[in-house]
């Protein structure tokens, strides 16, 4: 309307000027020279007035058009927010890049806006859209509202909490793709949820004296999606990533997908709760070993900035990222934010919490326990919900319960937080789930029961599944769960040790033999299943029986308070053993009395029926550190199970060896 009035005014002024020129001509005919001068001056004044009028109207029009601010980028966004107090930038971290040594340069940043309301938040969203921003995501949930925007190839995310009267605006530089654009494939297979049994200790507090390849943390869940692709949650610790563990996981994934072991599988998503080594390292080891057998399409996480929250960060996170970047440069990595949702074939996901919910107005964080940086994801399968808490602690619990109602958080299944070590009663009360998933052994669950008892007490009919003894397959049948047991992979290595371990050899002193007979044989340590090793407990966790087979003179198997001990193991294939070597421990010069002097080496084809391969009596090993003595097998045979029984020691009640190495051929 203002522009129309401006046009009419200009037309009127033109008519006035024309009439003035006609009048001037008439007056020139009848008037003198002085009068002509006066008329000329008048016309000049009229023209100047017209020019000033036009300039004034143009200025007014421009001023009117500028009442809607021009918004380009996060600074303009924050300036355009209609009310509230705007905080300092919080570094949310990068996505797939590494910030271990310095900032990656593509970190997302979050700004807290306090003392605002939904009306202002929605006005802000409308202002962005009027400035050419495209709203790609919109969601209202339990007093929260979330929007996603894009413009000029950049991504922004904003979410508001009515209970907290707080908005959070994210300049989402780390993300290069939208969750709404996840590729979908059709599928009608039954969705299956698995709590996978990784190598947990049984009753020990951290790791164990029994086997080096076990620990009290880590977790792994697998979902077979409706299109027969896979969604994997976390993995395990370095000590849960033995070759046996990796190879067995490969077999497991092929089995549940109904594929031959040499067929390629699709991992549609690998999701990580947080940047602790017991949740990420397994992935690095697995993809390094088997990347040619798997297509990784997507990865999901939201790790905080190492530069902001380095305390508690695990270097395994960077090796995990390295493996994805190296083997899957085309995989899409998504940095998740609270309130977002996404869908993969047959399964819906929603992000309940990230470390960003604990970002402060001052640009810092409330998190002091790194476990509270865990992302919380709720999974929807066939009308049932699984609340996956990762390793959250009380700081995360407070943020969750201050944002949501109990009714909203109510779920059908819950993964207990931090392997049962953290107590988050308010979350367990809100979730009130009947199916309780325990990412620890039965012994680990029982020893920490006081911290998770509330999860059981709030369940109407609790069903508790611990991960140390079995892998559990869970499917949704109508309105209920069906859980079935799958034997742990280590069951394939089980054997019965020889029934008679008494010394039955000839009492003839023996000395090591010449090593020439080993020519043409192979050192067989790589053939040993490390997860099959079972023996007398070590004096401490770094001296378990596993260290007898690590081909290192810097470690040892050491047993105290006894004069006899034993250890058994299984090889990957049947082997013919021609001889073996025993290596003294690294501190033998200081403790020469700890070396064994009499022993028997047994062998078996089936792990049940045993024969004696070699018996040694009063053989004095070298007193030098890391020295080996070689022994021949007089009657070699082909076997797959072996057991070494030590009958006596030089003196005292402590027995130790650095290594047992067998030599022969693989059948």
């Amino acid at each position: 309307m203002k522009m129309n009035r401006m046009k009419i005014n200009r037309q009127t002024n033109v008519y006035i000027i024309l009439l003035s020129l006609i009048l001037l001509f008439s007056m020139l005919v009848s008037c003198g020279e002085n009068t002509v001068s006066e008329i000329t001056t008048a016309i000049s004044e009229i023209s100047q007035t017209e020019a000033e009028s036009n300039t004034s109207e143009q200025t007014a029009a421009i001023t009117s058009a500028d009442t809607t601010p021009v918004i380009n980028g996060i600074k303009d966004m924050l300036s355009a927010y209609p009310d509230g107090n705007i905080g300092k930038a919080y570094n949310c971290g990068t996505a797939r890049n590494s910030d271990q040594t310095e900032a990656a340069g593509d970190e997302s940043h979050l700004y807290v806006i306090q003392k605002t309301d939904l009306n202002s938040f929605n006005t802000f969203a409308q202002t962005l859209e009027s400035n050419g921003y495209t709203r790609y995501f919109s969601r209202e949930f339990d007093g929260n509202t979330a929007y996603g925007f894009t413009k000029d190839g950049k991504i922004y995310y904003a979410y508001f909490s009515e209970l907290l009267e707080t908005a959070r605006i994210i300049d989402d530089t780390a993300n290069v793709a939208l969750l709404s654009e996840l590729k979908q494939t059709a599928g009608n297979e039954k969705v299956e949820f698995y709590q996978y049994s990784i190598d947990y200790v049984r009753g020990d507090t951290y790791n164990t004296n029994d086997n080096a390849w076990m620990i009290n943390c880590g977790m792994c869940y697998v979902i077979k999606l409706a299109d027969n692709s896979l969604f994997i949650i976390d993995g395990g610790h370095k000590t849960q990533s033995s070759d046996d563990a990796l190879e067995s996981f490969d077999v497991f994934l092929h089995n549940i997908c109904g594929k031959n072991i040499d067929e390629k599988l699709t991992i549609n998503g690998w999701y990580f709760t947080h940047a602790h080594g017991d949740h990420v390292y397994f992935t690095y080891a697995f993809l390094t070993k088997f990347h040619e057998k798997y297509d990784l399409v997507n990865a999901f996480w939201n790790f905080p900035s190492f530069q902001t929250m380095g305390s508690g960060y695990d270097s395994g996170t960077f090796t995990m990222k390295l493996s994805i970047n190296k083997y899957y440069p085309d995989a899409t990595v998504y940095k998740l934010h609270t309130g977002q949702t996404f869908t993969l074939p047959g399964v819906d996901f929603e992000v309940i919490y990230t470390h960003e919910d604990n970002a402060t107005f001052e640009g810092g964080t409330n998190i002091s326990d790194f476990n509270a940086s865990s992302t919380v994801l709720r999974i929807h399968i066939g009308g049932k919900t699984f609340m996956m808490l990762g390793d959250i602690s009380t700081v995360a619990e407070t943020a969750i319960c201050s944002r949501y109602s109990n009714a909203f958080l109510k779920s059908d299944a819950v993964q207990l937080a931090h392997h049962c070590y953290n107590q988050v009663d308010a979350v367990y009360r809100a979730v009130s789930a009947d199916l309780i998933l325990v990412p620890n052994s039965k012994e680990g669950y029982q020893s920490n029961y006081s911290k998770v008892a509330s999860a059981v007490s709030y369940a109407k009919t609790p069903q508790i599944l611990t991960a140390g003894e079995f892998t559990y397959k869970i499917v949704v049948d109508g309105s209920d769960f069906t859980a079935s047991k799958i034997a742990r992979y280590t069951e394939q290595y089980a054997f019965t040790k020889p029934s008679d371990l008494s010394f039955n050899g000839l009492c003839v002193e023996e000395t090591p033999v010449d090593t020439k007979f080993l020519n043409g044989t192979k050192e067989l340590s790589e053939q040993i299943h490390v997860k099959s090793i079972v023996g007398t407990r070590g004096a401490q966790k770094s001296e378990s029986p596993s260290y007898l087979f690590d081909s290192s003179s810097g470690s040892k198997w050491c047993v105290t308070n006894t004069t006899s001990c034993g250890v058994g193991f299984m090889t990957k294939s049947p082997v013919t053993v021609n001889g073996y070597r025993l290596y003294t421990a690294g501190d033998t010069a200081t403790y020469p009395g700890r070396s064994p002097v009499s022993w028997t080496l047994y062998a078996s084809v089936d792990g049940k029926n045993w024969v004696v391969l070699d018996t040694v009596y009063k053989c004095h090993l070298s007193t030098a550190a890391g020295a080996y003595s070689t022994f021949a097998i007089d009657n070699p045979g082909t076997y797959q199970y072996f057991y070494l029984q030590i009958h006596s020691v030089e003196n005292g009640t402590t027995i130790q060896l650095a290594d047992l190495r067998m030599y022969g051929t693989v059948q």
Side-chain angles (χ1 to χ4, degrees):
M1 294 300 293
K2 288 184 178 180
M3 294 302 295
N4 290 337
R5 285 199 302 271
M6 189 173 176
K7 184 176 180 180
I8 293 171
N9 289 340
R10 288 175 177 171
Q11 291 174 341
T12 302
N13 290 338
V14 170
Y15 294 146
I16 292 173
I17 291 172
L18 290 174
L19 289 173
S20 299
L21 290 172
I22 295 171
L23 178 62
L24 173 63
F25 179 78
S26 301
M27 293 177 67
L28 286 172
V29 174
S30 58
C31 298
E33 184 176 332
N34 292 336
T35 304
V36 172
S37 176
E38 292 174 358
I39 293 173
T40 301
T41 300
I43 292 175
S44 176
E45 291 175 352
I46 292 173
S47 299
Q48 184 176 354
T49 301
E50 161 66 5
E52 291 175 352
S53 175
N54 288 344
T55 301
S56 176
E57 296 224 12
Q58 289 172 358
T59 301
I62 292 173
T63 301
S64 176
D66 282 349
T67 56
T68 300
V70 177
I71 301 177
N72 288 307
I74 191 65
K75 290 184 178 180
D76 291 341
M77 277 188 178
L78 298 174
S79 298
Y81 200 89
D83 64 6
N85 301 321
I86 301 174
K88 296 179 180 179
Y90 167 71
N91 186 346
C92 303
T94 181
R96 75 182 306 148
N97 294 322
S98 173
D99 60 351
Q100 186 175 17
T101 57
E102 60 183 0
D106 65 346
E107 289 86 352
S108 295
H109 288 84
L110 177 148
Y111 300 83
V112 176
I113 301 179
Q114 297 177 337
K115 298 182 179 179
T116 186
D117 58 26
L118 181 59
N119 182 60
S120 296
F121 186 69
N122 286 333
T123 299
F124 169 70
Q126 293 165 4
T127 301
L128 294 183
E129 290 183 287
S130 68
N131 272 267
Y133 287 76
T134 300
R135 188 187 304 189
Y136 72 87
F137 176 76
S138 179
R139 184 185 178 209
E140 296 181 5
F141 54 108
D142 197 41
N144 297 269
T145 303
Y147 298 129
F149 296 95
T150 61
K151 184 179 182 181
D152 299 330
K154 296 182 179 180
I155 301 174
Y156 305 90
Y157 188 75
Y159 59 109
F160 167 79
S161 168
E162 188 173 346
L163 288 174
L164 300 175
E165 297 182 338
T166 299
R168 294 172 187 265
I169 315 297
I170 301 175
D171 182 4
D172 205 5
T173 308
N175 272 316
V176 297
L178 305 178
L179 280 171
S180 58
E181 296 176 353
L182 271 173
K183 293 181 180 179
Q184 299 296 322
T185 55
N188 55 11
E189 293 200 16
K190 188 77 171 177
V191 173
E192 298 169 354
F193 182 101
Y194 292 87
Q195 178 172 263
Y196 187 73
S197 182
I198 57 178
D199 295 315
Y200 295 107
V201 299
R202 306 290 181 83
D204 292 277
T205 55
Y206 183 63
N207 49 18
T208 178
N209 304 27
D210 291 322
N211 189 292
W213 296 98
M214 303 170 73
I215 202 167
N216 68 342
C217 51
M219 72 178 196
C220 184
Y221 294 88
V222 178
I223 303 174
K224 193 195 78 168
L225 302 170
D227 65 345
N228 210 33
S229 65
L230 300 164
F231 185 87
I232 304 174
I233 300 174
D234 289 348
H237 192 274
K238 184 176 182 178
T239 59
Q240 295 162 321
S241 304
S242 66
D243 280 347
D244 288 342
L246 300 175
E247 292 165 4
S248 296
F249 191 60
D250 175 44
V251 171
F252 168 77
L253 296 180
H254 279 81
N255 284 344
I256 66 174
C257 291
K259 300 292 186 180
N260 294 327
I261 193 64
D262 57 347
E263 290 186 79
K264 181 170 278 192
L265 301 182
T266 297
I267 301 174
N268 217 328
W270 205 316
Y271 160 68
F272 302 93
T273 58
H274 63 299
H276 267 164
D278 60 313
H279 294 256
V280 299
Y281 186 89
F282 183 93
T283 306
Y284 158 74
F286 186 78
L287 295 182
T288 299
K289 189 175 184 68
F290 293 115
H291 58 274
E292 293 182 350
K293 299 178 67 174
Y294 293 86
D295 285 327
L296 176 64
V297 182
N298 305 297
F300 306 86
W301 63 70
N302 187 344
F303 303 147
S305 164
F306 181 76
Q307 302 297 314
T308 301
M309 207 186 303
S311 177
Y313 228 101
D314 193 284
S315 60
T317 301
F318 302 108
T319 56
M320 177 275 290
K321 287 186 176 184
L322 177 66
S323 65
I324 290 179
N325 290 335
K326 180 178 181 179
Y327 301 119
Y328 303 99
D330 296 327
T332 304
V333 176
Y334 294 92
K335 189 175 182 68
L336 301 175
H337 304 298
T338 296
Q340 288 183 322
T341 61
F342 60 97
T343 298
L344 292 172
V347 182
D348 296 321
F349 303 85
E350 60 175 325
V351 183
I352 299 297
Y353 165 85
T354 77
H355 65 92
E356 294 163 350
D357 295 336
N358 264 307
T360 65
F361 182 80
E362 294 77 16
T365 179
N366 292 317
I367 295 174
S368 56
D369 174 5
F370 192 82
N371 289 305
S373 69
S374 295
T375 298
V376 175
L377 196 66
R378 181 155 58 180
I379 301 171
H380 299 252
I381 301 175
K384 293 291 187 179
T385 52
F386 297 72
M387 187 71 82
M388 309 303 292
L389 298 178
D391 281 7
I392 65 165
S393 58
T394 54
V395 174
E397 174 188 41
T398 299
I400 293 169
C401 294
S402 64
R403 181 178 295 275
Y404 305 112
S405 66
N406 287 2
F408 175 79
L409 293 173
K410 176 71 177 75
S411 301
D412 300 298
V414 62
Q415 169 246 311
L416 296 185
H418 195 207
H419 323 288
C420 306
Y421 298 114
N422 286 350
Q423 191 166 350
V424 287
D425 292 346
V427 168
Y428 293 146
R429 178 173 60 250
V431 173
S432 295
D434 284 345
L435 183 60
I436 298 173
L437 306 174
V438 183
N440 207 332
S441 64
K442 181 179 179 181
E443 292 85 353
Y445 166 73
Q446 292 173 336
S447 63
N448 292 282
Y449 182 75
S450 62
K451 296 180 180 179
V452 298
S454 60
V456 179
S457 66
Y458 295 127
K460 291 183 178 179
T461 53
Q463 183 179 8
I464 301 162
L465 308 181
T466 57
E469 299 73 35
F470 300 96
T471 288
Y472 281 95
K473 173 184 176 181
I474 303 165
V475 295
V476 178
D477 289 327
S479 60
D480 204 357
F481 292 112
T482 298
S484 55
K485 295 178 181 178
I486 300 175
R488 273 182 50 76
Y489 77 92
T490 52
E491 292 299 315
Q492 64 187 304
Y493 311 134
F495 59 84
T496 303
K497 68 181 183 179
S499 57
D500 183 8
L501 294 174
S502 60
F503 183 73
N504 295 315
L506 297 174
C507 295
V508 178
E509 293 189 16
E510 188 167 344
T511 58
V513 300
D514 189 285
T515 62
K516 291 181 180 179
F517 78 95
L518 295 181
N519 293 340
T521 64
K522 179 181 179 180
E523 204 270 303
L524 300 173
S525 293
E526 291 184 356
Q527 285 296 311
I528 297 174
H529 281 298
V530 296
K531 287 301 298 178
S532 71
I533 300 168
V534 177
T536 308
R537 287 170 63 93
Q540 53 187 335
K541 294 163 186 176
S542 61
E543 297 174 347
S544 73
S546 302
Y547 292 102
L548 189 61
F549 305 95
D550 65 352
S551 299
S552 171
S553 59
S555 61
K556 64 181 180 180
W557 172 40
C558 182
V559 180
T560 57
N561 301 316
T562 185
T563 56
S564 65
C565 58
V567 59
F569 55 95
M570 173 188 177
T571 55
K572 297 176 181 179
S573 303
V575 296
T576 300
V577 179
N578 298 95
Y580 62 97
R581 285 174 174 167
L582 296 181
Y583 286 72
T584 59
D587 57 356
T588 296
T590 305
Y591 304 105
R594 294 180 176 181
S595 294
V597 296
S598 301
W599 60 85
T600 301
L601 181 62
Y602 299 86
S604 173
V605 172
D606 57 7
K608 298 177 182 178
N609 301 293
W610 298 86
V611 298
V612 174
L613 276 188
D614 191 35
T615 297
V616 176
Y617 175 72
K618 285 190 177 182
C619 179
H620 302 284
L621 303 181
S622 172
T623 57
Y628 65 80
S629 300
T630 306
F631 303 89
I633 302 298
D634 294 333
N635 297 301
T638 301
Y639 306 97
Q640 197 167 3
Y641 299 86
F642 300 87
Y643 197 91
L644 175 67
Q645 177 66 25
I646 296 174
H647 304 293
S648 61
V649 67
E650 288 281 2
N651 59 71
T653 57
T654 297
I655 305 171
Q656 65 180 24
L657 282 171
D659 271 311
L660 164 60
R661 302 183 195 179
M662 300 193 307
Y663 294 82
T665 55
V666 180
Q667 302 304 305

